[in-house]
Amino acid sequence: MRGRAATIGSVPEPTIYDIARRAGVGIATVSRVLNGHQRVTEATRAAVQRAMDDLGYRPNRAARRLAAGGPNRPRIAALLPLFSTDFYASVARPIAHELMAADMDLVLYDVANREAKNRLLDRIVDERACEALILCSMGVGPERQQQFAQRHIPYICVDYQLPGVPSVHVDNVAGSALATRHLREAGAKRIALVGGPLTAHAFRDREQGFLSVAGPVAPVLRAATATRDAARAAVRELLHADPAIDGLVCVNDQLAVGALEELAALGRRVPDEVQVMGFDDQPLMDALGLSTIRQPMVMFGSWAAQAIIRRVNQPTADIPSAELALTLVSRRTTRPLGKSSGSRRKTSA
Amino acid sequence: MRGRAATIGSVPEPTIYDIARRAGVGIATVSRVLNGHQRVTEATRAAVQRAMDDLGYRPNRAARRLAAGGPNRPRIAALLPLFSTDFYASVARPIAHELMAADMDLVLYDVANREAKNRLLDRIVDERACEALILCSMGVGPERQQQFAQRHIPYICVDYQLPGVPSVHVDNVAGSALATRHLREAGAKRIALVGGPLTAHAFRDREQGFLSVAGPVAPVLRAATATRDAARAAVRELLHADPAIDGLVCVNDQLAVGALEELAALGRRVPDEVQVMGFDDQPLMDALGLSTIRQPMVMFGSWAAQAIIRRVNQPTADIPSAELALTLVSRRTTRPLGKSSGSRRKTSA
DNA sequence: CTGTTAGCGCATTCAA
DNA sequence: TTGAATGCGCTAACAG
């Protein structure tokens, strides 16, 4: 049952009819002052203005647009943990640019957790707030998918695989395995994982990739949150429990930075005593000299933009999912390999 | 009888009337399939669906919302060079959070330059796309202000002073002077400025602040863009022209990072041979050990959110502008002061 | 300068 | 299950 859902029990929002009545004028006049037309006497103008102030009038945007006959530009909503890591800013940028070029509106929603995601999606669906959806690093359950289908809302996933849903993603398992192998090849004997909350699918995969090469009993400690401080605590605990650890695989760059800080505080030299690998290659990691696994962030965004554009323009089109390549970037937190192999290689995944 | 959209010249967008006619059903039925109601025969449902596909039908969002009577949530547009520097992500975050808590919609627009800004503002004003505006690090001319006033669109400025417009800002001149003075006190004899494009008001002010303490003939070189590469080029040129330079004031952190890179490439040790100051204290600068001037990014965002909320809820309210304090953060790119003074001080501005 | 009127495109009764 | 009719709140002719 819908209706005036927003104003349950409370006073209905005033309309121009209310304003007109209160100011003793016609609705057209109200509309005129609302739009700043010049042909209005200052007196009546003031009267209308007062009426609006008194009643706390706020124009209804939907009605204005409908009446004015403005363009019905497609609106794309993108849900992502925008403020959690620079990674997301990097994928959001190409999305924003390409969508703007395609004359579509992009609305960025920062989603910090599953609960926030569901609240937001409920609202978006209920209010038909967008024509299409980009889900970044997150999935949706079957009931939600059904809801989207029923409402004819096309959607795609970025950095997340969902069966039957067009998506761009990487092989996190392989990437993490690559990182671990690199550490081993660089001479690390005892390698530990600085993991993250398993609510993040990527973290889970990377943990698995790590275990696949470091062995099932390799030390693993999951930071409580994907923050530098949590990483510091994890590393401290890890090294306290096993001082022989000489290699750290971190499930993302942010954690790696925290690890580096803690290592410095502990007086462990990097990479001589302990080597560190990150994951993402987010901005500034080169300046920090962090060895890491580079994610194709710009391509993520580009792909998402192109896919959603096609999806909106021809709803029946089939969009094949894509798996992008991960790149190993070796910098100063790992020892150079003895061999003559270059400093960058790609997964053959 | 309802008719065609008022689009002049181009083909009018099909409406449910067109769909209904083509599918040989009533508009109510079209509406039903559109909203996924269950009480529709699969046959008619398919017919409608086909008609929609054939005509490339796209529902009009404004009409849906108007008819459905959904909430008329205030929409706040924020214009900022979101993707130029991490600085902006840091101010956007509190804005997003507080506006969401206030049940307002935030639409983030990335604006790269003046032209993009004006295009966007034209559209926003023309389409009445928002109830209020947050302008970040940018101003607007008198004609634009008049336009806003006429349309009753409240707006505020962040990181920018505009006479008569509520704003939060800092004293960039004083901040830069502080940075320069710090370098001098730390022993730098010959200090140069790595400036940025003067299209950015903040850069201009910081340049002025630098000159006010370094003297009017101190070396100044403006990077072509506020990027690390441009900074590298500038620093190279600066040191080539005057190898005696032992202090670099950069107008923002990003440039400082570039400067640091170039210094490393040049084999100049920091801070022993050359000391460097940044500006912003954007994320990760602590990890890099950059000495810098910290901007109150979170407070910028908070202030903006609170101000715009008040402005929307009571349009006649007076919002006083605020000047926030800048903090000097001394880290590893400057030499510790001989005295016992702490590592952080505030401007007394 | 101002009021009256007629839609904008859609969701939703209410009959059929 | 479906169609005809009504109105959402506002803008824009068109009269006065």
Side-chain angles (χ1 to χ4, degrees):
Chain A
M1 185 72 79
R2 43 193 70 255
R4 318 174 170 280
T7 50
I8 303 175
S10 78
V11 189
E13 292 272 328
T15 72
I16 49 171
Y17 288 90
D18 300 314
I19 306 300
R21 201 174 316 127
R22 193 168 218 275
V25 301
I27 62 165
T29 299
V30 176
S31 180
R32 287 188 187 101
V33 346
L34 212 49
N35 295 294
H37 288 207
Q38 301 303 348
R39 309 305 187 143
V40 185
T41 305
E42 187 50 38
T44 67
R45 160 181 206 70
V48 171
Q49 193 59 254
R50 258 208 60 197
M52 297 202 299
D53 290 347
D54 290 350
L55 271 50
Y57 171 76
R58 299 181 336 168
N60 181 309
R61 213 169 344 105
R64 299 183 88 158
R65 299 204 48 158
L66 178 55
N72 182 213
R73 223 180 254 100
R75 171 170 307 166
I76 315 300
L79 273 61
L80 64 181
L82 190 58
F83 299 131
S84 68
T85 284
D86 286 347
F87 171 82
Y88 294 102
S90 295
V91 355
R93 180 186 307 136
I95 295 182
H97 287 170
E98 299 193 28
L99 251 31
M100 182 169 290
D103 207 42
M104 299 187 176
D105 279 350
L106 172 65
V107 183
L108 257 27
Y109 289 103
D110 175 54
V111 174
N113 52 55
R114 180 178 318 217
E115 184 203 359
K117 173 186 71 179
N118 279 320
R119 261 209 321 272
L120 194 56
L121 284 179
D122 282 341
R123 243 189 56 186
I124 288 179
V125 169
D126 190 53
E127 301 179 7
R128 297 159 175 70
C130 73
E131 273 63 58
L133 221 40
I134 296 176
L135 267 20
C136 205
S137 298
M138 60 184 85
V140 286
E143 64 297 332
R144 183 71 76 182
Q145 295 189 44
Q146 198 168 10
Q147 195 179 32
F148 290 158
Q150 189 175 273
R151 296 303 237 275
H152 300 107
I153 301 177
Y155 59 106
I156 63 171
C157 287
V158 175
D159 186 37
Y160 199 94
Q161 280 194 67
L162 210 52
V165 178
S167 71
V168 238
H169 53 266
V170 294
D171 187 339
N172 283 302
V173 177
S176 193
L178 178 64
T180 313
R181 225 177 296 124
H182 182 66
L183 239 34
R184 197 178 276 323
E185 290 172 6
K189 300 300 181 195
R190 182 134 187 83
I191 308 179
L193 179 85
V194 178
L198 293 191
T199 47
H201 203 281
F203 290 165
R204 185 167 9 215
D205 286 351
R206 291 171 197 169
E207 191 168 316
Q208 183 189 329
F210 166 79
L211 293 174
S212 76
V213 357
V217 296
V220 167
L221 193 51
R222 295 196 265 273
T225 60
T227 61
R228 282 160 60 181
D229 282 341
R232 294 191 62 158
V235 168
R236 186 163 40 231
E237 189 175 337
L238 229 26
L239 286 180
H240 182 73
D242 185 350
I245 288 174
D246 60 353
L248 250 25
V249 171
C250 306
V251 292
N252 80 11
D253 286 348
Q254 194 147 266
L255 292 165
V257 172
L260 253 20
E261 292 180 300
E262 188 58 25
L263 254 15
L266 258 29
R268 305 281 189 125
R269 300 193 326 174
V270 175
D272 302 314
E273 299 174 28
V274 182
Q275 302 189 70
V276 178
M277 284 289 307
F279 204 112
D280 280 353
D281 197 27
Q282 66 174 49
L284 287 176
M285 291 306 105
D286 54 341
L288 271 170
L290 179 71
S291 295
T292 190
I293 302 293
R294 173 177 301 161
Q295 293 220 60
M297 296 169 277
V298 173
M299 292 202 58
F300 268 165
S302 261
W303 189 96
Q306 298 307 330
I308 216 66
I309 288 170
R310 283 196 55 196
R311 211 84 169 92
V312 167
N313 289 338
Q314 28 181 338
T316 59
D318 178 58
I319 313 273
S321 292
E323 180 170 304
L324 270 30
L326 252 13
T327 313
L328 170 65
V329 184
S330 182
R331 293 195 273 239
R332 301 194 305 272
T333 59
T334 51
R335 287 203 287 270
L337 263 37
K339 316 172 192 180
S340 63
S341 74
S343 67
R344 285 171 46 179
R345 297 179 315 175
K346 292 205 173 190
T347 58
S348 51
Chain B
M1 190 65 78
R2 297 330 172 85
R4 342 226 145 250
T7 324
I8 304 175
S10 74
V11 186
E13 292 271 328
T15 71
I16 51 172
Y17 288 89
D18 300 312
I19 306 299
R21 202 173 314 128
R22 193 168 218 276
V25 301
I27 62 164
T29 299
V30 176
S31 179
R32 286 187 188 102
V33 346
L34 210 51
N35 295 293
H37 288 205
Q38 300 304 345
R39 309 304 189 143
V40 185
T41 305
E42 188 48 43
T44 64
R45 161 181 204 69
V48 171
Q49 192 61 252
R50 259 207 60 199
M52 297 201 298
D53 291 346
D54 291 349
L55 272 50
Y57 171 76
R58 299 181 337 168
N60 180 308
R61 214 169 341 105
R64 299 183 86 158
R65 299 202 51 156
L66 177 56
N72 181 214
R73 226 180 251 98
R75 173 168 306 165
I76 315 300
L79 273 60
L80 64 181
L82 190 58
F83 299 131
S84 68
T85 283
D86 286 347
F87 171 82
Y88 294 103
S90 295
V91 353
R93 180 184 308 138
I95 295 183
H97 287 171
E98 299 192 27
L99 250 31
M100 182 169 291
D103 207 42
M104 299 187 176
D105 280 350
L106 172 66
V107 183
L108 256 29
Y109 289 103
D110 175 54
V111 174
N113 51 55
R114 181 178 316 219
E115 185 202 0
K117 173 186 71 179
N118 280 321
R119 261 208 321 271
L120 195 56
L121 284 178
D122 281 341
R123 243 190 54 189
I124 288 178
V125 169
D126 190 54
E127 301 178 8
R128 297 158 175 69
C130 72
E131 273 63 58
L133 220 41
I134 296 176
L135 267 21
C136 205
S137 298
M138 60 185 83
V140 285
E143 64 297 333
R144 184 70 78 182
Q145 295 190 44
Q146 197 168 11
Q147 196 180 31
F148 290 158
Q150 189 173 273
R151 295 304 235 275
H152 300 107
I153 301 177
Y155 60 105
I156 63 172
C157 287
V158 175
D159 187 38
Y160 199 96
Q161 280 194 68
L162 209 52
V165 179
S167 71
V168 237
H169 54 265
V170 294
D171 187 339
N172 283 301
V173 177
S176 194
L178 179 65
T180 313
R181 225 176 296 126
H182 182 66
L183 239 36
R184 196 178 277 323
E185 291 172 6
K189 299 300 182 198
R190 182 134 187 84
I191 307 178
L193 180 85
V194 178
L198 292 191
T199 48
H201 203 281
F203 290 165
R204 184 167 10 214
D205 285 352
R206 291 171 197 168
E207 191 168 316
Q208 183 190 329
F210 166 80
L211 292 174
S212 76
V213 355
V217 296
V220 167
L221 193 50
R222 296 196 264 271
T225 60
T227 61
R228 282 160 59 181
D229 282 341
R232 293 191 63 158
V235 168
R236 187 165 38 234
E237 188 174 337
L238 229 26
L239 286 179
H240 181 74
D242 185 350
I245 288 175
D246 60 354
L248 250 25
V249 171
C250 307
V251 293
N252 80 10
D253 285 349
Q254 194 148 264
L255 292 166
V257 172
L260 253 20
E261 292 180 300
E262 188 58 26
L263 254 15
L266 258 30
R268 304 284 188 123
R269 301 192 328 172
V270 175
D272 302 314
E273 297 174 31
V274 182
Q275 302 189 70
V276 177
M277 283 290 307
F279 205 112
D280 279 353
D281 197 27
Q282 66 174 51
L284 287 175
M285 291 306 104
D286 53 343
L288 272 170
L290 178 71
S291 295
T292 190
I293 301 294
R294 172 177 302 161
Q295 293 220 59
M297 297 169 275
V298 173
M299 290 202 58
F300 267 165
S302 260
W303 189 96
Q306 298 307 331
I308 215 65
I309 289 170
R310 282 196 56 195
R311 212 82 168 92
V312 168
N313 288 338
Q314 28 182 337
T316 58
D318 177 58
I319 313 272
S321 293
E323 180 169 304
L324 271 29
L326 251 15
T327 314
L328 170 65
V329 184
S330 181
R331 292 195 273 240
R332 301 195 305 273
T333 58
T334 50
R335 287 203 287 273
L337 264 39
K339 318 173 190 179
S340 62
S341 74
S343 67
R344 286 170 45 179
R345 297 181 313 174
K346 293 204 172 189
T347 59
S348 51

